[in-house]
Amino acid sequence: MVLKIAEGYIDLGETTEERENYLRSACSAWNIARLPTLKRESAIERYVEEYKKINKTDATDCKALEENLRLLIKQKDRLYPDANVQIVDSRIDNIA
């Protein structure tokens, strides 16, 4: 289901590590989408702030991240409105 809501998003990464970062943010968007609507804004703000601290990034990158999170949340709501399972871990395995 996460791959469906993040179709194309994860593939923005050029390396496995970058794709895993996109996957993690997609999973975070999924978990935020599980929250009641009134709690989502503060969760998005906290996520972006933590991202900014960890990655030492600028406002443009943070704005792009926030927009992506919002789009992923809308996708989750549209495709899987009743799915309420929390994602606690994710990874990409390369299968040869």
Side-chain angles (χ1 to χ4, degrees):
M1 289 189 287
V2 172
L3 293 177
K4 183 73 174 174
I5 70 158
E7 204 166 33
Y9 178 68
I10 296 167
D11 292 330
L12 292 173
E14 294 178 12
T15 65
T16 300
E17 182 180 349
E18 289 175 355
R19 286 189 292 276
E20 282 187 335
N21 287 334
Y22 282 106
L23 173 60
R24 276 191 288 280
S25 66
C27 292
S28 294
W30 175 281
N31 288 335
I32 292 170
R34 295 177 54 248
L35 296 172
T37 306
L38 295 175
K39 293 186 177 189
R40 290 181 182 185
E41 283 304 312
S42 62
I44 291 169
E45 288 173 15
R46 279 193 314 272
Y47 185 88
V48 172
E49 277 301 312
E50 284 301 311
Y51 176 87
K52 185 177 181 179
K53 282 184 206 173
I54 292 169
N55 295 289
K56 310 275 192 263
T57 189
D58 63 15
T60 302
D61 285 343
C62 289
K63 183 67 175 167
L65 173 67
E66 182 179 340
E67 289 173 6
N68 288 329
L69 284 174
R70 292 181 187 283
L71 289 172
L72 291 163
I73 289 167
K74 283 181 185 176
Q75 279 289 85
K76 193 275 185 200
D77 286 344
R78 184 176 68 78
L79 295 172
Y80 306 107
D82 298 323
N84 198 28
V85 64
Q86 181 179 10
I87 300 171
V88 295
D89 191 27
S90 64
R91 72 174 186 270
I92 295 175
D93 288 329
N94 292 318
I95 300 172

